[in-house]
Amino acid sequence: MSDARRTDAVLLLVALVWGSSYLSAQTATAALPVLTVLLARYALSLLACAGVIAGRRGPRRVRRDEWRAGLPLGLTQAAVLVVETYGVAHTTAANAGLIISLTIVLTPLLDRSGHPGGLPGSFYAAAGVCVLAVGLLMSGNGFHAPRLGDVLMLAAAGVRAVHVALVGRLTARRSVRPLQLTAVQTAVGTALFLPVTAAELPGLVRAPGATWAQLLYLALFCSVFAFLAQTWAVQRTSASRASLLLGTEPVWAAVVGIALGGEHLTALTALGAALMVAGTYWGQAVERAHRARAAREAPGHRVEGGALRPPAADAPSVHQETAAPR
């Protein structure tokens, strides 16, 4: 297998793993309270990150910049997962994965760096297609009041967009290593959820093996492995190709939900799914092209990872416009 195909395969695997996380979270929350599931996910992720850091050569200490970025990002990431996990517990895994993909078009509205003067009208047209898609996805078998889970997933998309915008703002021009940043964020999440779930720990310990398998999958594969694999692959391909492959996450969420979760798509939800995928791809392509055009018109600037960078030698950043960190 060539290096390019290997990189593509890794990115597709990351998209598949993230797409399957909604069904895994739904299954785990059927057996345990949502906050207990999140504590287990964070604590297991923290242990895995600590083990990887301890086993690597070179400096292991978390730098000041990583603490400064990781502490607030840990709070916003925890907020994302709380709303998202409560949402997926009250809707289908397919709907959850499709609605959360709204992050792709919401993030550029919050992070205006790289597209001065505002976004073109075609971007807002793509966002309108996504809004229509959300309405169809919420309709189910017919138009009715939105389900609680769908509304929560819509809120989760907004909170995740805020989180992604903050990643860019807090890591720009700072020397931040992805693994150490992830470790700080998982430590923050563990510290947040441990006090409020202490009474549920005996139930967590006695949880059946199948539930622990879901928790391990969420922590080790959907969090630690996926983030590190994404970082490795994005460094070896173009931002456009990475976004195309990682953007298949909602497709995999629908496939896994239907194939393994026994979910069904009605005609309206199938149309909504198609419009959501088309709208997010369209919006992503418009925003990326506009960002690149702005970079070409700014003397001495360059496009790096899909983001506008100044000509000075900046410190490396973990910010990637290719996908929303989970």
Side-chain angles (χ1 to χ4, degrees), residues 46-72:
L46 176 59
L47 290 173
C49 286
V52 174
I53 292 172
R56 297 184 69 176
R57 298 178 181 178
R60 300 187 182 97
R61 185 176 61 87
V62 178
R63 299 169 183 160
R64 182 178 300 177
D65 280 347
E66 291 158 351
W67 281 111
R68 287 178 175 174
L71 291 175

Side-chain angles (χ1 to χ4, degrees), residues 233-276:
V234 164
Q235 291 172 344
R236 289 162 173 78
T237 189
S238 68
S240 299
R241 193 172 186 84
S243 16
L244 178 68
L245 296 169
L246 290 171
T248 61
E249 176 189 341
V251 178
W252 292 115
V255 169
V256 171
I258 294 168
L260 300 181
E263 298 174 359
H264 301 281
L265 285 181
T266 65
L268 285 176
T269 53
L271 178 59
L275 287 176
M276 179 63 76

Side-chain angles (χ1 to χ4, degrees), residues 133-145:
V134 169
L136 293 172
L137 288 170
M138 289 181 173
S139 66
N141 294 315
F143 293 102
H144 53 75

Side-chain angles (χ1 to χ4, degrees), residues 87 90-92 94-96 99 136-141 144-154 264 269:
H90 294 89
T91 188
T92 65
N95 268 21
I99 293 173
L136 293 172
L137 288 170
M138 289 181 173
S139 66
N141 294 315
H144 53 75
R147 288 178 294 187
L148 173 62
D150 292 333
V151 173
L152 288 173
M153 292 309 301
L154 188 57
H264 301 281
T269 53

Side-chain angles (χ1 to χ4, degrees), residues 72-84 99-100 102-103 106-107 110 151-167 324-325:
L73 290 178
L75 295 174
T76 56
Q77 185 187 63
V80 172
L81 287 179
V82 167
V83 182
E84 182 180 294
I99 293 173
I100 200 69
L102 270 174
T103 303
L106 290 176
T107 302
L110 300 173
V151 173
L152 288 173
M153 292 309 301
L154 188 57
V159 179
R160 192 195 278 192
V162 172
H163 173 74
V164 175
L166 280 177
V167 170

Side-chain angles (χ1 to χ4, degrees), residues 184-248:
V184 173
Q185 291 179 87
T186 55
V188 170
T190 303
L192 285 174
F193 293 119
L194 183 58
V196 296
T197 58
E200 302 291 339
L201 291 180
L204 174 62
V205 173
R206 294 193 299 269
T211 301
W212 271 103
Q214 299 290 349
L215 295 174
L216 287 168
Y217 181 73
L218 286 169
L220 303 184
F221 287 88
C222 301
S223 295
V224 179
F225 162 76
F227 186 78
L228 295 178
Q230 173 204 3
T231 304
W232 175 88
V234 164
Q235 291 172 344
R236 289 162 173 78
T237 189
S238 68
S240 299
R241 193 172 186 84
S243 16
L244 178 68
L245 296 169
L246 290 171
T248 61

